[in-house]
Each structure stands twice: as structure tokens, then as C-alpha cells.
Amino acid sequence: MGLVDVHTHAVAPDLAAPADALPHPWVTVRRESATSAAIHVGDRRYRAIDERCWSAEARLRDMDAEGVEVQVVSPIPVTLDHGAPGIGAAEQARAQNDFFAALVAQAPDRFRALGAVPLQCPELAVAELRRCVLELGFVGVEIGTRIGSLELSDSKFGPFFDAADQLGAVVLVHPVDETLDPRLAAAGLAFGVGMPSETAVAGAGLLTAGVLAARPNVRVCLAHGGGALPAILPRVAKGQALAGSEPTVLAAARGLWCDSLTYDATSLALARERFGADHVVLGTDYPFAAREAPAGAVLHELGPELAARIGRTNGRALLTPVPEKETR
């Protein structure tokens, strides 16, 4: 009974721009050796990566060394590309999902997957979500914290969340560094402030708009311990009260999930308080530099029962399929 790591990333080493796509700085991967490659955004070299991003053998070697029984693989956030033309984004999402399916098939008892969807085109996103869950056997999908200039709580995305609710899908909400506030990047705070802030805005918007209350079967998991959301929820509640509304966010937050990637036991304790001890799962950001190493290091400061709950039990519960609802 090893650890269940719900937050890891993978990418095909030959990810290409969509065929006959409209002009756009498409995200591609270019091999540089048998064990290395680089992600490019258009002509710009974005990040060097290695075989751990695509090799089941390399991942299993690391998993065995750190006591990880199951990894959930998901897209590298930049490849979500929610600002790309919809048809091309749908093609690229489909290619990524086919790669994830092939990776999982190499060790189906050790890997699960969250797919990519072109959420900028909700109709296409619903179709790919259904393919991911019903045909490829994925537990759900990963999405960014906002889609262009629109928040996830925008009514445009209602059909996507309806479909996720019907399927009982997991939706991992992950910030995309390419869309962060430029002033934070200039100040060197994109990772430390920008990403947690993006997640907080997305999560608070979903709660205050009632998106999840109306769809209790969808399981939304916020990356990085929910970002800054656990700390600001009481202030959001106060804002609701000042606006003349009944404060609902603190209770509604218990319907969210988050991962444990806080790097800090105190922050993790606050996330448990806000979302519930049964709704926090292990996440490491493997295989990148920001990853928690070894997997579950922050859990070492917890008692054995709580560490086992976050490290294994909750993850297994999140990955357990929820029966598809009958079509309304």
C-alpha cells in the first residue's frame, strides 16, 4: 500500500503543432537526445525536459525508490493552451490524451490519467472530456485557472461542468505560468505569488458563483494546496456579508479537494481545515524542479494515521469512479 500521487505531469516527446492549424505560437516538443527534449512555445524555447516526462520505465524507477504505488499523470500546464484557436487546440488535446492512454497502458496498475480539453470551445471540451472518461478510462481532466479573459465561473463553461458532474469526473485546476500577471514575473514572484493567487481567484469564483453547489458530483481538485484560497476564504465570506449576501464560501469549500503540495505542514493544516481532512490528497509536481522530494516529505511531520489518509486513502477515494448520472 504505497503512496498515491495525484499531481504529476507528462508530455509526449514528439508533441507537434496541429496539422493545418491557424497561425499561433503552438506548444511543441522537440527531441534533443534519447533522454532529453525541450518544450517550445512557437519559436521560443520554454523548458528543457527529460525522459521522466514520457518514459514509463523512468517514472516507475523513481516511484519504486520513493514508495509511490500510483501516479496520476496530467498535462504540463503550458500545453493546455486555452488561448489557442479551438479546432487546433482540440486536435492537440486529443493527441496528448492518446499519449497518456498509451503511457497508462504500459503499467495500468501504477498509472492513471487526467486528460486535456480545449475549454475555450466548451462544446469540443465536452466531447473530449467524455472521450477521456468513457473511452480512454481517465479519471478526469486538467484545466487552467482561467480561459483567456474569462473566469471558470463564467456561464459559458456551464456545459463543461454539467458534463463533468454527469460523469463524476475529477477536474484538476492548475495555474499556467504563461498567463500570470507580468508584474509578478518581473518581480520574480510568478511561482511564489502568481500561481497561488491564480488558483485562489479561480477557486473563490467557483464557490461564490455556486458552480459546484449546483453540480455536487464533479470533483474539483485545486493544485498546490489550493494556492492562497485557504488563507483568504474568511475575507471572501466577509465580502459576501458586506454585499448583503449570506456568507456561503466557508461551507461550500468543503466540497473542494486540494493536493498537499504546500512545502509546509502549517499551510497544509490550514488546507485541511478549509477543505476537510478527507479532501486533501498527495501531490508532488513530479518530475519538475518544484517537485516535493521525496514524495510525501511534508507528511512526515504528521501523525501516521493522518499521513496515511493524505498519502494513500484519500487519493484512492478520489480516483474511485463515481457512477455516471442518467442524462437529464
Side-chain angles (χ1 to χ4, degrees), residues 29 43 66 90 113 135 161 190 204 264 307 316 319:
V29 179
D43 293 328
E66 297 187 5
E135 297 181 26
F161 285 106
D264 172 62
R316 292 185 177 280
L319 301 183

Side-chain angles (χ1 to χ4, degrees), residues 124-195:
L124 298 178
V126 167
E128 190 61 20
L129 168 65
R130 293 188 65 81
R131 188 176 84 96
C132 284
V133 174
L134 300 178
E135 297 181 26
L136 302 180
F138 293 1
V139 294
V141 296
E142 176 187 294
I143 62 174
T145 51
R146 53 190 165 109
I147 313 302
S149 62
L150 298 180
E151 301 298 331
L152 297 181
S153 54
D154 192 279
S155 60
K156 176 179 179 178
F157 308 118
F160 167 79
F161 285 106
D162 286 341
D165 181 62
Q166 181 187 2
L167 295 167
V170 176
V171 177
L172 175 65
V173 177
H174 195 300
V176 179
D177 56 1
E178 291 287 287
T179 64
L180 301 179
D181 186 339
R183 64 187 273 265
L184 296 176
L189 296 172
F191 177 83
V193 177
M195 286 191 161

